[in-house]
Amino acid sequence: MDNSEVFHKAEQIRDVIRYLRLFKGSTAVVHIDDTIIDSPYFASHIRDLCLIQEAGLKIIIVPGARKRINEILNQANISWQMENSCRITDEKAMPLIKMAAFDVSNRVMTSFAAEKRTAVIGNWVRARGKGINLGVDYGTAGEIDKIQVEAVNSVLDNGFIPIFPCIGWSISGKPYNISSSQLATALAVKMKADKLFFLTQNTTINAENFVIPPNSTFIKEKSIPAMNLQEVSSFISLNESASQTFENDKKDFVLQTLSLLRMALSACRAGVSRVHILNGSFNGTLPCEIFSDFGSGTMIYEDNYGGIRGMELDDIPDILNLIRPFVEEKILLPRTENDLIEQYKDYTVYELDSGIRACAALHFYDDGQAEIAAVAVDNNFTHLGVGPKIVNYLIDKARTMNAKRVFVLTTRTADWFEQFGFVPCTIDSLPEKRRAKWTPERGSKALSFYL
């Protein structure tokens, strides 16, 4: 194993440790589609959830039961219909619906027991009937009225895993069938969860299944690993229109996914930090999503996911690691720890989930010129447009500081800087102090941007 391989593996391990520190003690609500429970990866997902809990996260499980309810009602020759994602049945179906919901929850609880984890099924949800709306009698379908947050927190504080069947009870004890995905969303909000996961069957938000907006910020291998709330809204509108032309199976799939995205929007607007839509057909999707920057699914997030800020002294090890590959390729000049200590106030960084993913410096000279230097972006994050964001930020900063022009010196990225409006200039036009460091051996080209 050579030095670069060791460095790459070390960076992956550092990321895991950083995320462990970031999310330790946080709460995650996990909605498990019941098709996943019948999949060959279910036991692996349960084991991963146990490992995640062991890492310090508090886990709440909401299993879906639609498939099991369908089976039991069909066996009993009881008909139903769906209206606005709600199952409409008469009163005689409710005991069977309740049995199916607890059937699924018991199966999940037993799987945790096999991993020597204690999970608890509870009746922590108070519900009321949906009643009649626009002439439609929703029968046994219910809406969430209240969640017993204190009782759930007590279960979590004792190290147990709460499991929520898709059943709620009225004040008088009457059961109602409630949507498990809506329950998971409400739970994430009421429990002030940091994360809400929808573990689905074969749901991957990519160009094969959906229309990807042309201005999407996060695109990796033709899929969308993350969207902010504005991007989600645009995505929903675009695909809702496009779905009208799809065949029935694809149309149903797209509309179901859009429904999850709407719930993700609702959860984030109500205070949930991140919502993740994951393909449960991928073994290991949960830990991959939690402990890596772009994971394996699609993350919905508020705009505070990543941002530009000034460098701090504590950032020095991360910046040295970030620029090392560019120094080795002779794209950047070497910087030492002492160099960064002396000039740290000149540096700007792009931070994503407490990790430094890009940096650049803005050096001012006595003659009124400013230099953008040490521009480095982690190769895994170039598709985010982080480099242009930092360069434009520094140009604006130079303008605010009344610099007369900004210049750069580069050996291999002249074309990249020209897209911002930089034009070639002579070495003689640079500040004397910077001219003295230029060498014909390196032969850097000078470009300038007039403010």
Side-chain angles (χ1 to χ4, degrees):
M1 187 180 299
D2 60 26
N3 185 52
S4 64
E5 289 178 306
V6 171
F7 175 74
H8 179 68
K9 288 187 175 182
E11 283 293 278
Q12 292 178 320
I13 294 169
R14 289 171 185 140
D15 280 344
V16 171
I17 294 171
R18 178 164 52 82
Y19 277 105
L20 283 169
R21 186 171 59 221
L22 187 64
F23 294 122
K24 187 174 183 179
S26 62
T27 300
V29 175
V30 185
H31 177 268
I32 306 177
D33 191 285
D34 62 341
T35 56
I36 299 297
I37 296 173
D38 291 326
S39 79
Y41 298 125
F42 176 61
S44 179
H45 291 317
I46 291 295
R47 179 163 294 180
D48 285 339
L49 286 166
C50 293
L51 292 172
I52 289 166
Q53 188 206 31
E54 198 171 307
L57 280 79
K58 298 175 182 178
I59 304 296
I60 298 172
I61 305 297
V62 182
R66 175 173 294 188
K67 181 182 175 184
R68 183 60 179 148
I69 293 172
N70 288 351
E71 291 173 353
I72 289 182
L73 293 183
N74 286 338
Q75 289 169 8
N77 292 318
I78 295 177
S79 62
W80 76 90
Q81 67 184 78
M82 300 299 294
E83 187 77 31
N84 295 323
S85 300
C86 292
R87 185 191 302 272
I88 299 178
T89 62
D90 56 28
E91 293 290 340
K92 67 181 180 181
M94 197 59 222
L96 297 177
I97 291 174
K98 188 170 68 171
M99 180 178 72
F102 276 84
D103 228 15
V104 173
S105 292
N106 272 303
R107 184 171 173 188
V108 174
M109 184 177 68
T110 302
S111 297
F112 277 115
E115 296 293 331
K116 298 180 174 57
R117 288 290 187 281
T118 302
V120 180
I121 301 171
N123 56 345
W124 300 294
V125 181
R126 194 170 75 195
R128 63 182 183 275
K130 289 181 72 71
I132 300 172
N133 186 12
L134 298 176
V136 177
D137 186 347
Y138 282 87
T140 56
E143 292 180 339
I144 299 165
D145 197 20
K146 183 179 179 181
I147 294 172
Q148 297 178 30
V149 172
E150 290 184 6
V152 180
N153 276 326
S154 178
V155 172
L156 291 169
D157 290 342
N158 281 295
F160 303 148
I161 299 172
I163 299 175
F164 281 73
C166 55
I167 302 293
W169 282 263
S170 70
I171 294 176
S172 62
K174 182 179 180 179
Y176 286 101
N177 182 202
I178 53 180
S179 161
S180 59
S181 53
Q182 289 177 8
L183 172 57
T185 303
L187 257 174
V189 172
K190 294 294 185 183
M191 298 301 300
K192 295 180 168 48
D194 296 275
K195 288 182 173 290
L196 167 61
F197 294 93
F198 290 109
L199 191 60
T200 65
Q201 179 74 13
N202 295 321
T203 301
T204 300
I205 299 179
N206 56 21
E208 182 180 347
N209 298 317
F210 299 90
V211 180
I212 306 295
N215 58 345
S216 291
T217 305
F218 292 75
I219 299 177
K220 192 174 185 181
E221 296 172 359
K222 297 184 179 180
S223 67
I224 300 185
M227 287 188 280
N228 63 32
L229 302 193
Q230 184 177 352
E231 289 169 328
V232 172
S233 296
S234 299
F235 184 91
I236 290 172
S237 297
L238 181 62
N239 281 275
E240 196 166 42
S241 299
S243 68
Q244 304 308 313
T245 65
F246 296 159
E247 295 180 1
N248 285 340
D249 287 347
K250 183 174 182 179
K251 181 179 180 179
D252 290 345
F253 166 75
V254 168
L255 292 178
Q256 287 170 14
T257 305
L258 296 184
S259 176
L260 292 181
L261 287 171
R262 287 191 185 90
M263 282 183 268
L265 269 178
S266 173
C268 286
R269 286 170 177 162
V272 178
S273 301
R274 316 279 169 82
V275 180
H276 306 257
I277 297 175
L278 306 181
N279 186 343
S281 301
F282 295 160
N283 193 354
T285 187
L286 280 160
C288 185
E289 185 73 10
I290 293 177
F291 299 124
S292 64
D293 288 304
F294 288 114
S296 59
T298 296
M299 180 180 74
I300 314 305
Y301 68 98
E302 278 278 19
D303 288 333
N304 61 356
Y305 176 51
I308 293 173
R309 63 167 175 81
M311 173 187 163
E312 299 171 358
L313 289 174
D314 289 345
D315 299 326
I316 288 176
D318 289 333
I319 290 177
L320 289 172
N321 283 333
L322 177 66
I323 68 174
R324 182 177 290 116
F326 299 94
V327 172
E328 290 173 351
E329 292 183 35
K330 302 190 183 306
I331 295 172
L332 293 180
L333 290 170
R335 268 86 174 172
T336 66
E337 182 177 350
N338 285 336
D339 291 334
L340 295 180
I341 290 172
E342 290 175 4
Q343 298 182 317
Y344 82 94
K345 291 183 178 180
D346 291 356
Y347 279 79
T348 293
V349 301
Y350 186 91
E351 182 180 44
L352 188 151
D353 275 341
S354 301
I356 305 302
R357 299 308 179 187
C359 71
L362 184 65
H363 305 305
F364 288 90
Y365 294 89
D366 294 338
D367 66 351
Q369 296 192 66
E371 177 188 12
I372 293 178
V375 179
V377 180
D378 186 323
N379 283 333
N380 292 319
F381 298 84
T382 53
H383 61 287
L384 302 187
V386 175
K389 287 179 184 177
I390 285 188
V391 169
N392 284 321
Y393 173 83
L394 294 181
I395 289 173
D396 288 341
K397 183 177 180 181
R399 185 179 289 114
T400 301
M401 300 295 289
N402 296 318
K404 63 183 183 184
R405 78 166 184 168
V406 179
F407 70 90
V408 296
L409 284 164
T410 179
T411 55
R412 292 161 60 178
T413 57
D415 289 342
W416 188 77
F417 280 104
E418 285 175 356
Q419 69 180 307
F420 301 101
F422 282 83
V423 295
C425 63
T426 64
I427 300 300
D428 290 340
S429 67
L430 304 182
E432 183 179 349
K433 185 177 180 181
R434 186 64 184 88
R435 247 187 356 255
K437 295 180 181 178
W438 184 87
T439 62
E441 291 78 20
R442 182 170 174 80
S444 299
K445 293 181 179 179
L447 298 96
S448 64
F449 182 99
Y450 288 88
L451 301 172

